Amino acid sequence: MEKQQKGISKIGLIALVISSSIGGGIFGITSDLSRASAPGPAILAWIIVGIGILTLVLSLNNLGAKRADLDSGIFGYAEATFGKLGGFISGWGYWLGAWLGNVAFATILMIALGSFFPIFEGGQNIPSIIMGSIVIWTLTLLVSNGMESASFINIVVTICKLVPLFLFLIITGVSFKAGIFTANFWGNISTNLLQNTSNTANIMEQIKGCLIVMMWVFVGIEGASVLANRAEKRSDAQQATIIGLVGLLFIYIFASLLPYGVLSQSELANLSQPAMANVLKSIVGNWGAAFINIGLIISILGSWLSWTMLPAETVLLMARDGLLPKHWGNLNAKKAPIYSLVLTAALANIFLLTLLVTDYAYQLAYSLATAAILICYLLVGIYQMKYSYEQKDTKQFIIGSIATIFQLAAIILAGFSYVLMCSIAYIPGFYFYMKARKENGHTISIKEKITMSIISSVAVLAIGLIATGSIQV
């Protein structure tokens, strides 16, 4: 009798969704959000983002149930809509965003460690890069020993990271003062902070400033979908995504808004990272900051583990589907995609050097990561619309339309300059795509050549804008 294949359990998938999303972003969101918005516009932004992410999740679940044959993760939907090149653009963007996110993790992790070990203070020095490199390769080694075993460790880490977050919610909830929260409810300092002018930022500008910050903390919500083919049951991936989303919304909304009732917006905006630790320090003293920093370290390691698994799996599936050369999907004896693991780790390691040349390494890394993945989310929404229209399913078509409009708006309003920068990474990517197509006996169509030429032209434009200082790095 054939032995049943071991897979990732529903609990493991829920932990993956939560752990993939809850990383360093939640620990720094208070400061990043208060620089952009007062509490009133932030609440409106959460409603908008909540609806947008919910429609994305519902789209993923609908497509996962009805198109179970598309088992290539979220880039499979782009391929079903726009062909092989569409699948490559989505998959390459997802992979790019994943390892850029790991660079963001490295930056905030070193800042947290700096609160205990002065050698890492600030998180942007040679010792921080060396330690970040050690963590990158340690996690790569762990995942190379098998994806399912890494998933079990992820469950344990997820539980550990939630404890300090709930303590923070309880303490800030008890310390919350309605008078502080409502004193500057619609904002009168946001523009001063961001643009050094005396004009009052209107509500829409503040909401716009919230989008990229909020979207960053949801990156990873599709984690269960990406690893659906490794689940014990495919339906578990769909349920895990909904359960994970509900839990994340509860934590994110309260963790980001309660501090507005503890410190003023200007005080929150001027907090150093990790802001959550400094908020708790202002309430209970140094032990609170230490406790949050310990939680942050655990949280980052957990998310980093998840985001070591996800990009490796994406590259494996792309190689299997002929979007990347076959050797990119090479497996080791533990059935882990060793080639993609090593390549991803090496690129993240190289990008760590940006910590030495920018004062905003964390914001740059997470903004680029979010922008790259927003493109993938947009293509999911488009396929949800296309498929639902073909099936004459009005309800699902509306869900897909909302998801598409939201992702498109987020790209244009909050992340367009970052999308331009991400386009640069597609130039080497197209080389590997063309090599893979040739390897599989296919030629590049005229339409594909035109599309690659347009994206490459955008990349050249982005390089020029960076060189002239029009886009700040």
Side-chain angles (χ1 to χ4, degrees):
M1 184 175 180
E2 186 179 354
K3 185 178 179 181
Q4 186 176 5
Q5 184 179 3
K6 182 182 179 182
I8 303 175
S9 67
K10 183 190 295 185
I11 297 297
L13 290 168
I14 293 172
L16 179 67
V17 171
I18 293 176
S19 186
S20 297
S21 299
I22 295 181
I26 184 62
F27 292 89
I29 194 172
T30 297
S31 179
D32 290 341
L33 205 60
S34 60
R35 289 191 183 99
S37 173
I43 292 173
L44 296 178
W46 272 123
I47 293 172
I48 294 170
V49 171
I51 293 172
I53 294 296
L54 175 61
T55 54
L56 171 66
V57 167
L58 291 175
S59 296
L60 287 169
N61 280 0
N62 177 60
L63 295 173
K66 296 177 180 176
R67 291 303 313 268
D69 55 308
L70 300 177
D71 61 350
S72 300
I74 63 174
F75 78 83
Y77 304 130
E79 184 176 340
T81 309
F82 299 106
K84 289 291 184 180
L85 182 59
F88 170 80
I89 290 172
S90 178
W92 189 262
Y94 189 81
W95 174 68
L96 176 67
W99 65 260
L100 282 171
N102 289 344
V103 176
F105 292 152
T107 310
I108 198 75
L109 175 62
M110 293 305 108
I111 294 173
L113 285 175
S115 66
F116 300 105
F117 307 102
I119 192 174
F120 302 120
E121 188 173 0
Q124 295 184 218
N125 52 31
I126 296 297
S128 297
I129 291 175
I130 294 173
M131 178 56 72
S133 301
I134 292 172
V135 176
I136 285 174
W137 291 104
T138 299
L139 292 177
T140 299
L141 179 63
L142 177 62
V143 175
S144 70
N145 283 321
M147 304 286 270
E148 285 78 16
S149 61
S151 174
F152 172 75
I153 295 173
N154 199 44
I155 295 174
V156 177
V157 171
T158 299
I159 294 172
C160 292
K161 72 163 64 176
L162 290 176
V163 172
L165 288 176
F166 282 115
L167 177 67
F168 176 81
L169 294 179
I170 292 170
I171 293 176
T172 52
V174 172
S175 306
F176 182 88
K177 293 181 176 60
I180 297 176
F181 186 77
T182 58
N184 183 42
F185 193 72
W186 294 111
N188 57 20
I189 66 166
S190 298
T191 304
N192 291 335
L193 290 168
L194 294 176
Q195 302 174 1
N196 294 319
T197 68
S198 58
N199 297 324
T200 300
N202 65 42
I203 292 174
M204 286 307 299
E205 287 173 336
Q206 293 182 69
I207 291 174
K208 173 185 173 181
C210 293
L211 290 181
I212 202 73
V213 178
M214 291 180 174
M215 288 301 296
W216 163 239
V217 297
F218 280 109
V219 169
I221 193 69
E222 74 296 329
S225 175
V226 174
L227 292 178
N229 63 325
R230 291 181 180 266
E232 290 179 352
K233 294 189 298 182
R234 192 175 182 90
S235 60
D236 286 348
Q238 300 162 23
Q239 296 171 23
T241 306
I242 289 292
I243 295 170
L245 174 61
V246 172
L248 289 170
L249 279 171
F250 173 84
I251 295 170
Y252 288 163
I253 291 173
F254 283 99
S256 63
L257 294 180
L258 285 176
Y260 280 105
V262 176
L263 299 172
S264 69
Q265 184 188 351
S266 60
E267 290 172 324
L268 292 173
N270 289 310
L271 289 176
S272 59
Q273 295 291 11
M276 183 178 284
N278 289 306
V279 170
L280 205 57
K281 180 180 179 180
S282 71
I283 301 173
V284 300
N286 289 330
W287 76 264
F291 190 73
I292 291 296
N293 279 319
I294 292 171
L296 171 57
I297 292 169
I298 295 173
S299 180
I300 287 293
L301 291 175
S303 289
W304 208 336
L305 174 61
S306 297
W307 281 101
T308 301
M309 297 164 63
L310 293 176
E313 184 77 357
T314 299
V315 170
L316 170 65
L317 294 172
M318 291 177 71
R320 184 200 67 181
D321 289 359
L323 304 180
L324 285 172
K326 292 177 182 177
H327 67 271
W328 284 56
N330 288 348
L331 302 176
N332 63 10
K334 298 287 188 177
K335 303 299 182 183
I338 190 64
Y339 183 91
S340 61
L341 281 169
V342 171
L343 178 63
T344 302
L347 289 171
N349 211 157
I350 292 171
F351 203 83
L352 277 178
L353 296 175
T354 60
L355 272 64
L356 300 176
V357 298
T358 176
D359 293 331
Y360 304 98
Y362 174 63
Q363 290 89 341
L364 174 64
Y366 84 62
S367 297
L368 286 172
T370 305
I373 291 177
L374 280 175
I375 297 173
C376 309
Y377 292 168
L378 172 65
L379 295 174
V380 171
I382 292 174
Y383 182 65
Q384 165 81 350
M385 290 175 60
K386 177 179 181 292
Y387 181 75
S388 300
Y389 178 79
E390 293 170 348
Q391 299 298 309
K392 295 181 171 52
D393 190 333
T394 304
K395 176 183 174 182
Q396 293 297 335
F397 179 82
I398 292 173
I399 290 173
S401 299
I402 295 172
T404 301
I405 292 170
F406 171 75
Q407 301 299 335
L408 187 60
I411 290 171
I412 294 173
L413 294 177
F416 191 66
S417 63
Y418 297 111
V419 172
L420 288 178
M421 285 190 278
C422 287
S423 67
I424 298 171
Y426 278 93
I427 294 177
F430 289 144
Y431 166 77
F432 294 113
Y433 173 74
M434 290 187 290
K435 185 176 180 180
R437 300 306 291 152
K438 182 178 180 181
E439 185 178 82
N440 287 276
H442 298 285
T443 57
I444 305 298
S445 68
I446 297 297
K447 184 184 296 185
E448 288 181 321
K449 290 179 181 178
I450 292 173
T451 302
M452 288 189 287
S453 297
I454 292 173
I455 295 175
S456 298
S457 299
V458 172
V460 172
L461 173 63
I463 293 172
L465 292 174
I466 293 172
T468 59
S470 299
I471 293 180
Q472 297 294 324
V473 178

